């Protein structure tokens, strides 16, 4: 079987792993289900735009569903928040 590796920041993987535990499945199961849903909508132009835009912003940002372990508040002149689990997952 061929494989696909998805490099994730710790804050992203922690959130996915916690969600997987909640569902009593593996993080790979969560990733596969997400990919399956995405591929089923691959013809939708909005999905294609979202993929391209996500590829660009992911270079410098964590997604909203990730844990806040790497949140930076330098733009607000504040110290980093204490790490906390994502409220979305």
């Amino acid at each position: 079987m061929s494989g696909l590796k998805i490099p994730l920041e710790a804050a992203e993987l922690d959130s996915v792993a916690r969600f997987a535990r909640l569902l009593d499945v593996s993080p790979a199961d969560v990733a596969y289900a997400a990919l399956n849903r995405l591929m089923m909508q691959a013809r939708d132009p909005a999905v294609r735009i979202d993929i391209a835009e996500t590829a660009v912003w992911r270079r410098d940002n964590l997604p909203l569903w990730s844990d806040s372990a790497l949140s930076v508040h330098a733009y607000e002149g504040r110290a980093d928040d204490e790490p906390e689990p994502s409220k979305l997952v």
Side-chain angles (χ1 to χ4, degrees), residues 6-61:
I6 304 171
L8 297 174
E9 297 289 342
E12 294 169 313
L13 183 57
D14 290 347
S15 184
V16 172
R18 190 173 50 257
F19 185 51
R21 281 192 305 273
L22 179 71
L23 300 176
D24 197 26
V25 299
S26 72
D29 292 330
V30 172
Y32 186 85
L35 181 60
N36 184 56
R37 291 188 66 144
L38 174 73
M39 295 304 290
M40 297 300 290
Q41 298 177 14
R43 291 185 180 177
D44 182 342
V47 169
R48 292 172 181 236
I49 290 169
D50 188 40
I51 292 169
E53 289 176 349
T54 299
V56 172
W57 66 251
R58 186 169 184 239
R59 293 180 194 140
D60 299 314
N61 300 287

